[in-house]
């Protein structure tokens, strides 16, 4: 499962997703989405929202290519944040 979302604090958000793993109440918890493989930084929230909407409209193959270009080995990046 590929999860796309925005936050103003990636470190805290990653911890929240990890703590919610397995909890059926949340999408990320239900699908165990807590490992980071790609991220982008934006200065303005509106740009982040626009990018999120754009990416959510993509087919999985396009998302996978974006990840591959950024992180060819699909390493988990949580420890780097």
């Amino acid at each position: 499962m590929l999860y796309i979302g925005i936050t103003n604090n990636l470190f805290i958000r990653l911890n929240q997703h990890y703590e919610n793993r397995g909890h059926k109440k949340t999408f990320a918890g239900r699908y165990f989405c807590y490992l980071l493989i790609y991220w982008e930084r934006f200065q303005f929230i509106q740009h982040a929202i626009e990018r999120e909407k754009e990416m959510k409209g993509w087919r999985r193959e396009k998302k996978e290519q974006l990840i591959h270009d950024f992180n060819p080995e699909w390493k988990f990046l949580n420890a780097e944040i």
Side-chain angles (χ1 to χ4, degrees):
M1 177 64 57
L2 297 176
Y3 172 85
I4 297 173
I6 61 171
T7 182
N8 64 355
N9 190 318
L10 186 54
F11 178 78
I12 290 173
R13 193 66 179 137
L14 287 171
N15 286 328
Q16 290 170 337
H17 281 282
Y18 184 78
E19 291 171 3
N20 284 329
R21 69 194 182 287
H23 293 194
K24 305 292 183 200
K25 296 184 297 183
T26 67
F27 180 89
R30 199 168 33 254
Y31 293 100
F32 293 86
C33 297
Y34 59 88
L35 295 170
L36 182 69
I37 55 174
Y38 177 85
W39 62 277
E40 294 180 11
R41 177 173 291 171
F42 294 89
Q43 183 175 2
F44 302 108
I45 187 66
Q46 188 57 38
H47 296 162
I49 292 168
E50 290 169 6
R51 179 67 164 165
E52 177 191 28
K53 289 178 181 179
E54 174 188 13
M55 292 171 72
K56 284 184 174 183
W58 291 357
R59 297 182 52 82
R60 183 178 178 96
E61 295 81 15
K62 188 170 181 176
K63 295 173 191 174
E64 288 178 354
Q65 186 61 53
L66 180 70
I67 294 165
H68 179 76
D69 292 344
F70 177 82
N71 180 3
E73 297 175 15
W74 287 55
K75 295 186 318 187
F76 302 136
L77 305 174
N78 296 53
E80 297 178 19
I81 299 302

